[in-house]
Amino acid sequence: MDFSSKLLENAVYEMSQLPGIGKRTALRLVLHLLKQPEERTNLLSEALTDLRAKVNFCKSCHNISDTEICEICSNHKRDKSLVCVVEDIRDVMAIESTSQYNGLYHVLGGKISPMEGIGPQDLSIVSLVNRVKEGEVKELIFALSSTMEGDTTNFYIYKQLEGLDVTTSTIARGIAVGDELEYADEVTLGRSILNRIPFENSIKAS
Amino acid sequence: MDFSSKLLENAVYEMSQLPGIGKRTALRLVLHLLKQPEERTNLLSEALTDLRAKVNFCKSCHNISDTEICEICSNHKRDKSLVCVVEDIRDVMAIESTSQYNGLYHVLGGKISPMEGIGPQDLSIVSLVNRVKEGEVKELIFALSSTMEGDTTNFYIYKQLEGLDVTTSTIARGIAVGDELEYADEVTLGRSILNRIPFENSIKAS
């Protein structure tokens, strides 16, 4: 693209560095900002720099937080014997929005992936093991993605916990509520038969 | 969504004010910035505020420019008797990238659209008429979108030019190069037959 302004070119370049934003979209976004009052751009810029400069992660669970210990960890009504292990902050939000979980979290910051050069030392696994060693945690719930990397990470953590007094579980995999059997993939359907649950439990859940 | 951080919530909110960016995408973009070095965020913020604060529009053609008169208008090799009337800056870039046009431009900043409350006074039509009155411009090429609003704008400008010594033309509408006839819409195909051009001209163009 042929820009008549260096300032515009620069803004479009920086915007197009965001994931999923190409040059054309970046240009559309930047031109939109130009049409809006100057305040809009300043609010956006400030919000981003502010977040980046002052961002804080909970010392206990590594969730994003404005305080040293996040709201979830410091909530006395939460069950501190239950810890749900997730990949990133978005998973915490997803589970919180179900209102079905009353325990704490542990955000790993990713999953073990040799292809992307992410090893166990890049994730907050040591601090998870330490949390378990402190003794208050009775059950870990693995809620990582159901992929090769997710399974590897689950297994790695499981091995690290050997000899410690903690139960481990993974979230149930199966046919999504509302889905029709004929369209489900074979692996999911197979697993959902193997890991069937007593009918009484399914009545209680709904 | 339930954010555990006000800073994060604020950044996501501001990001989601951009067109076509929903809350989920905004969250993805903001979390991406968090994973990148702090400099990335600062470069983006600065580029945006810089552009918004220092942005300049060419006094002659209203194209975006870092100087008072843009590079195109101040280029002595350009044909100053030819002015192409376009809606916005992106159209200038699109035409420039064809390398087929050697005249100047006039950026209207939109098109007349009573539905959106945009009247002739919101567009740079007066300055276009003044440019023509100065006498150097011999031909205006209308290159607005082929919509009701585009046609209305063309006609409004055409009426304003009555009595002035200037030729007006519009860019050709027809079947796109590489397109098959059977898939073309009737209006375009009909127009392309009515506005057929001598075969010799089509040989010259290719």
Side-chain angles (χ1 to χ4, degrees):
Chain A
M1 270 186 280
D2 186 36
F3 295 99
S4 48
S5 157
K6 275 275 162 213
L7 288 165
L8 177 67
E9 186 172 356
N10 194 23
V12 169
Y13 171 78
E14 291 299 339
M15 196 63 114
S16 69
Q17 296 301 298
L18 293 171
I21 307 263
K23 278 242 163 173
R24 267 165 197 275
T25 311
L27 179 61
R28 190 165 56 82
L29 297 179
V30 169
L31 290 181
H32 170 84
L33 282 176
L34 271 182
K35 279 188 186 167
Q36 299 286 308
E38 189 166 343
E39 205 190 60
R40 266 263 72 84
T41 310
N42 294 344
L43 283 172
L44 173 63
S45 296
E46 271 167 37
L48 292 179
T49 10
D50 245 41
L51 172 68
R52 200 65 187 77
K54 299 182 195 158
V55 71
N56 204 21
F57 293 93
C58 172
K59 287 213 167 158
S60 174
C61 73
H62 305 283
N63 187 13
I64 199 169
S65 164
D66 292 343
T67 46
E68 196 142 299
I69 300 293
C70 77
E71 281 178 32
I72 297 174
C73 286
S74 56
N75 186 341
H76 293 295
K77 289 183 186 156
R78 290 268 182 168
D79 182 352
K80 289 186 169 43
S81 69
L82 210 56
V83 168
C84 182
V85 181
V86 294
E87 264 171 66
D88 76 13
I89 299 156
R90 272 178 291 180
D91 302 326
V92 174
M93 289 183 192
I95 297 176
E96 281 298 286
S97 69
T98 67
S99 312
Q100 296 287 324
Y101 181 66
N102 193 36
L104 306 185
Y105 294 92
H106 192 87
V107 180
L108 291 178
K111 51 199 168 189
I112 297 173
S113 168
M115 293 285 283
E116 295 172 51
I118 303 174
Q121 71 287 350
D122 301 313
L123 309 176
S124 51
I125 293 178
V126 174
S127 70
L128 174 62
V129 176
N130 287 339
R131 274 179 88 176
V132 174
K133 279 182 184 159
E134 283 167 14
E136 209 175 358
V137 182
K138 294 293 164 227
E139 182 177 351
L140 281 192
I141 305 170
F142 292 127
L144 304 191
S145 349
S146 180
T147 59
M148 182 91 92
E149 287 88 2
D151 291 346
T152 309
T153 313
N154 285 343
F155 193 69
Y156 180 88
I157 298 174
Y158 178 75
K159 280 293 189 187
Q160 300 294 308
L161 298 170
E162 266 180 0
L164 294 173
D165 179 27
V166 67
T167 319
T168 49
S169 60
T170 74
I171 54 168
R173 308 291 181 184
I175 308 299
V177 178
D179 262 15
E180 306 205 29
L181 285 205
E182 57 178 322
Y183 300 119
D185 67 289
E186 300 88 358
V187 182
T188 306
L189 189 54
R191 277 222 212 173
S192 77
I193 292 175
L194 287 177
N195 302 326
R196 60 196 177 277
I197 54 163
F199 186 60
E200 294 82 27
N201 295 11
S202 76
I203 299 173
K204 268 183 246 161
S206 65
Chain B
M1 269 187 281
D2 186 35
F3 295 98
S4 48
S5 156
K6 275 275 162 214
L7 287 165
L8 178 66
E9 185 171 354
N10 195 22
V12 170
Y13 171 77
E14 291 299 339
M15 195 64 113
S16 69
Q17 296 301 298
L18 291 171
I21 308 263
K23 279 242 164 175
R24 269 165 196 275
T25 311
L27 178 61
R28 191 166 53 84
L29 297 179
V30 169
L31 290 181
H32 170 84
L33 282 176
L34 271 183
K35 281 187 185 168
Q36 299 286 307
E38 189 165 344
E39 205 190 62
R40 265 269 65 87
T41 309
N42 294 344
L43 282 172
L44 172 63
S45 296
E46 272 167 37
L48 292 179
T49 10
D50 246 42
L51 172 68
R52 201 63 189 77
K54 299 182 194 159
V55 72
N56 205 20
F57 292 93
C58 173
K59 288 214 165 157
S60 175
C61 73
H62 305 283
N63 188 13
I64 199 169
S65 164
D66 292 343
T67 47
E68 196 144 298
I69 299 292
C70 77
E71 280 177 34
I72 297 174
C73 287
S74 57
N75 186 341
H76 292 295
K77 288 184 185 156
R78 291 269 182 165
D79 183 353
K80 289 185 167 44
S81 69
L82 211 56
V83 168
C84 182
V85 182
V86 294
E87 263 173 65
D88 76 14
I89 299 155
R90 274 180 290 181
D91 303 325
V92 174
M93 288 183 193
I95 297 177
E96 281 298 284
S97 69
T98 68
S99 314
Q100 297 285 326
Y101 180 66
N102 193 35
L104 305 185
Y105 293 92
H106 193 89
V107 180
L108 291 178
K111 51 199 170 191
I112 298 172
S113 168
M115 292 285 283
E116 294 172 49
I118 304 174
Q121 71 287 349
D122 300 313
L123 309 175
S124 52
I125 293 178
V126 173
S127 70
L128 175 62
V129 176
N130 287 340
R131 272 179 91 176
V132 174
K133 278 183 185 160
E134 282 166 16
E136 210 175 358
V137 182
K138 295 292 165 227
E139 181 178 350
L140 282 191
I141 306 171
F142 293 126
L144 304 192
S145 348
S146 180
T147 58
M148 182 89 94
E149 288 88 2
D151 291 345
T152 308
T153 314
N154 286 343
F155 192 69
Y156 180 87
I157 298 174
Y158 178 75
K159 279 293 188 188
Q160 300 294 307
L161 297 170
E162 266 180 358
L164 294 173
D165 180 24
V166 66
T167 318
T168 49
S169 60
T170 75
I171 55 168
R173 309 290 181 184
I175 309 298
V177 177
D179 263 14
E180 307 206 30
L181 284 205
E182 56 178 323
Y183 300 118
D185 68 289
E186 300 87 359
V187 182
T188 306
L189 189 54
R191 276 222 212 173
S192 78
I193 292 176
L194 286 178
N195 302 326
R196 61 193 176 278
I197 53 163
F199 186 59
E200 295 83 26
N201 295 10
S202 77
I203 299 174
K204 267 182 247 163
S206 65

